Amino acid sequence: MRVTQSMLTNNMLKNLSSSYSNLDKYMDQLSTGKKINRPSDDPVIAMKGMNYRTQVSDVEQFQRNISEVNNWMDNSDSQLDETTQALQRLRELAVQGSNGTYEDGQRENIAAEVDQLKEHLIDIANTEVNGKYIFNGTSTTGEAPVTVDEDGNVTGVSTNDDAVRIEVTDGTKLQVNVTAGNVFSEEFFKDIEAFSTALKSDTDEDLDSHIATMDTHINNTVNERADLGARMNRVELIVNRLENQSISANKMMSDNEDADLEEVIIQLTTQESVHRAALSAGSRVIQPSLLDFLS
């Protein structure tokens, strides 16, 4: 086959163009730290990258949901702890009032403290976190779960015990609230008001029954708190699982699309040498033609 000067020149230009393209690719990888900078560079890596990014995004969203779950549960646990302390104080007052040694004035003083504790428990039942009632089932906004009249008497107690659920992993929704009706029921406040009324009455009513009543409400609160605690323990396990998933997903995404900078630097250096050699060879290939001498 006859090789012409034109063929040599065209091949040289084609090879130089390819060399420039490789230099550009390695420079892009070095400056961005990524194997590809557009989907057309490698569609397989691009598709895998999109899947890994979706997985990382999902894990990050679940971790944000966990923060909301912890917010609900920590506040509920704290308020149930205060409820238990208030009920234990009411029980102590019931024991004091039942020993029969207190005069009417002293019983009224005990009743005054009972009324204050009842108001405190109403405040707990109406606790809001971020503008949401945490002891009102799914009715987190609107009317308070416990309403009172001008005299402080309870006039209404919400019966909404529906579970508030938040998704913590793919397909898993965890209940974050407690069943308020098991603690702050209508009977709960009526029993406290009945205890106060008994203390204020002139009759020497037997207060032993109120001790048993307070014991029942204390047990109900403790049981509800135990159920909440079990779910809080599960949340800790889920947090650890999400952290592991986050590390794994980020590693897979990095392995898929992050460039090996040491390898890229070596390839770039090699390509620069090849490019210089191609330019040097090209300068020899483009020899002066006969026309150059005739002109």
Side-chain angles (χ1 to χ4, degrees):
M1 182 180 70
R2 179 172 175 269
V3 178
T4 64
Q5 180 66 37
S6 174
M7 294 171 63
L8 291 174
T9 302
N10 289 336
N11 283 335
M12 182 203 68
L13 292 176
K14 184 181 70 175
N15 292 332
L16 282 177
S17 176
S18 176
S19 179
Y20 275 123
S21 178
N22 288 334
L23 285 172
D24 179 62
K25 181 180 73 174
Y26 297 137
M27 288 296 292
D28 280 347
Q29 291 181 351
L30 204 57
S31 59
T32 63
K34 300 295 182 183
K35 292 178 183 176
I36 62 172
N37 292 286
R38 56 190 72 84
S40 58
D41 291 342
D42 191 326
V44 175
I45 290 179
M47 286 301 298
K48 286 183 178 179
M50 291 175 64
N51 292 333
Y52 292 142
R53 286 178 188 282
T54 300
Q55 187 175 348
V56 170
S57 176
D58 288 346
V59 171
E60 289 175 347
Q61 181 58 55
F62 290 140
Q63 288 177 325
R64 287 193 289 272
N65 290 354
I66 286 290
S67 297
E68 180 70 11
V69 170
N70 284 330
N71 191 30
W72 270 83
M73 289 187 170
D74 289 345
N75 279 285
S76 297
D77 185 58
S78 174
Q79 298 308 312
L80 289 180
D81 181 51
E82 287 193 31
T83 301
T84 304
Q85 293 179 31
L87 287 171
Q88 287 174 339
R89 179 56 184 163
L90 285 170
R91 188 185 187 282
E92 291 174 7
L93 295 175
V95 172
Q96 290 179 16
S98 65
N99 62 25
T101 60
Y102 287 88
E103 299 176 354
D104 292 344
Q106 293 173 318
R107 287 165 64 99
E108 289 182 0
N109 291 336
I110 295 175
E113 184 173 354
V114 170
D115 291 340
Q116 290 299 314
L117 288 170
K118 185 191 73 174
E119 291 182 17
H120 180 59
L121 289 168
I122 292 172
D123 290 340
I124 293 174
N126 291 335
T127 298
E128 289 181 273
V129 176
N130 293 332
K132 297 178 181 178
Y133 295 111
I134 61 175
F135 296 118
N136 199 21
T138 53
S139 301
T140 55
T141 57
E143 188 178 87
V146 179
T147 55
V148 297
D149 59 18
E150 294 179 352
D151 297 326
N153 298 316
V154 175
T155 57
V157 178
S158 172
T159 57
N160 189 336
D161 289 336
D162 294 339
V164 176
R165 299 182 185 277
I166 295 178
E167 189 170 16
V168 291
T169 59
D170 191 17
T172 301
K173 293 183 178 180
L174 200 62
Q175 180 180 346
V176 298
N177 63 333
V178 299
T179 305
N182 292 340
V183 181
F184 303 112
S185 61
E186 185 176 356
E187 182 184 14
F188 174 85
F189 292 105
K190 285 188 177 299
D191 287 340
I192 297 174
E193 289 178 347
F195 177 37
S196 176
T197 301
L199 288 168
K200 294 173 184 174
S201 66
D202 295 331
T203 60
D204 294 330
E205 180 182 343
D206 185 8
L207 299 178
D208 289 342
S209 61
H210 295 289
I211 298 175
T213 300
M214 294 306 154
D215 283 337
T216 299
H217 290 306
I218 290 172
N219 290 335
N220 291 340
T221 306
V222 170
N223 290 337
E224 198 61 30
R225 197 178 176 194
D227 178 67
L228 177 65
R231 280 182 276 137
M232 292 173 77
N233 290 336
R234 184 183 174 188
V235 170
E236 291 183 7
L237 297 175
I238 294 173
V239 168
N240 293 333
R241 182 182 170 193
L242 288 175
E243 287 178 353
N244 292 332
Q245 287 182 341
S246 176
I247 293 172
S248 176
N250 279 292
K251 183 178 183 305
M252 288 190 294
M253 188 170 69
S254 176
D255 292 343
N256 179 65
E257 61 187 49
D258 287 352
D260 185 341
L261 296 182
E262 293 178 353
E263 182 180 348
V264 173
I265 290 173
I266 292 173
Q267 290 175 331
L268 177 62
T269 304
T270 303
Q271 189 60 43
E272 286 175 344
S273 299
V274 171
H275 188 70
R276 288 195 185 94
L279 288 174
S280 176
S283 66
R284 295 175 182 275
V285 167
I286 305 175
Q287 296 294 331
S289 66
L290 179 60
L291 291 177
D292 292 324
F293 292 104
L294 293 177
S295 61

